[in-house]
Amino acid sequence: MKAVKVGLLGLGTVGGGTATVLKRNAKEIARRAGRGIEIDFIATLEPERAAELGVENIRLTKDAYEVVNDPDIDIVVELIGGYSPAKELVMQALENGKHVVTANKALIAIHGDEIFAKAQEKGLVVAFEPAVAGGIPIIKALREGLSANSVEWLAGIINGTGNFILTEMRDKGRDFDDVLAEAQALGYAEADPTFDVEGIDAAHKLSILSSIAFGIPLQFDKTYTEGISKITQEDVAYAEELGYRIKHLGVAKRTDKGIEQRVHPTLIPERRLIANVDGVMNAVLVKGDAVGATLYYGAGAGDEATASAVIADIVDVTRALTTDPENRVPHLAFQPDALSDTPVVGMDDIETAYYLRMSAKNEAGVLAEVTRVLGQQGISIEAFIQKEPRQGETDVDIILLTHVVNEGNMNSALEQIAALDVINGEATRIRVESLS
């Protein structure tokens, strides 16, 4: 069978890794795919990169539309990122009858429903394994490996930058701003780190995982998103004292009210495997009704790690070239006409436990006033710590762990607590998940 010809859009970190791995492992990949796979055309604004990667004999252009409109290209691999012109290029590729592989989580999270509809209309495949958790095959696991299960919930560390920051804060007692500066110097965080540290990147990925897990349309706009920039070294230390680790977690859960989709700092019991995923590594924990809990761990970014997922998708598409469209694995795991209209619930309707830290006057009866307010909202306390004042200060830290409570009730309680004369400002609130 003739070799499949690939058009590559972008020759940056992931594009370069894809070209390198595909060249190095060409024979092994061909054995798996049943035919050769060749990069035939590359769009890049830095053509000199091709010589550095040893792929200088491949056709090059600075105009990505030349690649998607080339009649010889079978599969377009979009690795330029962002919303535009990525969306226009992908839609043009599909219009031209070409299959697509993309690592672009923002594109899939925001425009995936439209893109998949066009692919369905044209009888084509859009593969996006590298869009979530880099080299970890979590999309394939959810879409195929766990297809017998009704997924109950999933929770993931799906942004390496945030995980690196929280790990350094815990292991070395460093402050957030200090570690963020190092993450930027190491290339883990962008000059503008908002997408990483405020949870937007993780929310893109979580909305994709949730859609596949529960068979609902992509709904990034309904994903609650909270970052880690307000986490202090004190919070990290207090969590450890209580037997927990703080992780920036994406959580999707099936409940009687609907589907929860939320990204936020989370206390996890330190004995859980996912609580011990450190540095820039990623992990996703999935609970299915039949299989129980399964954990997927590995490199969530990087040139060859992500290239591993890109090429796996190219191999899958190559295998599907001779398959009737009706017999292919659906993009979002469920048949397009079988997606559910189950609602994504608002945060006021979720139920979880909480870690609370508040600065209070060092007076008798302070804890009694706080517990009175919590009790009025039906909130019971599981554990608490009251610290001695720091040297030169008169205020004390009070740390509480609550039992599971409704978020709306907790918000009401926190408003009342902030208004107490004995409390200095708003309490720090971090949600707690047992993941069991």
Side-chain angles (χ1 to χ4, degrees), residues 224-303:
Y224 175 81
T225 307
E226 182 182 322
I228 60 172
S229 56
K230 295 180 180 179
I231 299 297
T232 67
Q233 201 283 320
E234 288 80 12
D235 291 320
V236 174
Y238 292 149
E240 289 277 311
E241 191 172 339
L242 290 162
Y244 291 82
R245 302 271 172 88
I246 298 179
K247 294 294 182 182
H248 199 197
L249 217 60
V251 178
K253 185 181 296 186
R254 189 196 304 269
T255 73
D256 293 338
K257 297 177 182 177
I259 305 299
E260 296 178 10
Q261 287 182 192
R262 45 192 170 93
V263 172
H264 48 70
T266 310
L267 266 70
I268 307 170
E270 62 183 0
R271 64 184 180 278
R272 301 287 182 225
L273 286 174
I274 198 169
N276 295 280
V277 173
D278 290 335
V280 295
M281 302 303 281
N282 280 197
V284 181
L285 184 62
V286 183
K287 176 72 177 300
D289 69 326
V291 73
T294 54
L295 180 67
Y296 307 84
Y297 166 86
D303 53 356

Side-chain angles (χ1 to χ4, degrees), residues 116-258:
F116 297 148
K118 172 61 74 172
Q120 182 77 10
E121 172 194 330
K122 294 288 186 176
L124 298 167
V125 176
V126 176
F128 52 96
E129 181 69 68
V132 180
I136 304 171
I138 184 60
I139 302 295
K140 184 177 288 291
L142 278 172
R143 193 165 54 190
E144 300 172 47
L146 298 177
S147 57
N149 289 259
S150 173
V151 175
E152 297 176 5
W153 55 262
L154 62 86
I157 298 169
I158 44 182
N159 181 275
T161 302
N163 201 40
F164 171 79
I165 291 172
L166 290 173
T167 299
E168 289 290 300
M169 290 176 71
R170 186 193 75 228
D171 288 351
K172 300 178 182 177
R174 300 169 64 188
D175 291 330
F176 173 86
D177 290 338
D178 178 37
V179 184
L180 174 59
E182 181 182 354
Q184 290 171 315
L186 292 171
Y188 296 154
E190 301 290 339
D192 180 357
T194 303
F195 265 48
D196 289 324
V197 301
E198 297 303 337
I200 301 168
D201 175 78
H204 283 144
K205 298 169 183 175
L206 182 72
S207 64
I208 296 170
L209 293 178
S210 180
S211 181
I212 296 170
F214 304 118
I216 59 175
L218 291 153
Q219 297 173 75
F220 167 75
D221 60 325
K222 295 181 181 177
T223 304
Y224 175 81
T225 307
E226 182 182 322
I228 60 172
S229 56
K230 295 180 180 179
I231 299 297
T232 67
Q233 201 283 320
E234 288 80 12
D235 291 320
V236 174
Y238 292 149
E240 289 277 311
E241 191 172 339
L242 290 162
Y244 291 82
R245 302 271 172 88
I246 298 179
K247 294 294 182 182
H248 199 197
L249 217 60
V251 178
K253 185 181 296 186
R254 189 196 304 269
T255 73
D256 293 338
K257 297 177 182 177

Side-chain angles (χ1 to χ4, degrees), residues 99-115:
H99 301 276
V100 172
V101 172
T102 180
N104 193 335
K105 64 268 187 180
L107 178 68
I108 296 299
I110 302 298
H111 300 295
D113 290 331
E114 180 183 353
I115 289 169

Side-chain angles (χ1 to χ4, degrees), residues 304-367:
E304 294 201 359
T306 307
S308 169
V310 171
I311 295 168
D313 271 353
I314 295 172
V315 170
D316 276 354
V317 173
T318 299
R319 291 167 175 162
L321 292 176
T322 55
T323 305
D324 292 335
E326 295 79 10
N327 295 322
R328 294 171 184 159
V329 178
H331 292 105
L332 294 175
F334 296 77
Q335 296 298 333
D337 59 358
L339 292 180
S340 167
D341 59 358
T342 304
V344 175
V345 301
M347 282 300 288
D348 277 353
D349 290 324
I350 77 148
E351 293 187 350
T352 185
Y354 293 86
Y355 157 99
L356 303 176
R357 175 176 60 83
M358 57 200 78
S359 175
K361 295 179 180 178
N362 189 19
E363 299 177 1
V366 171
L367 188 59

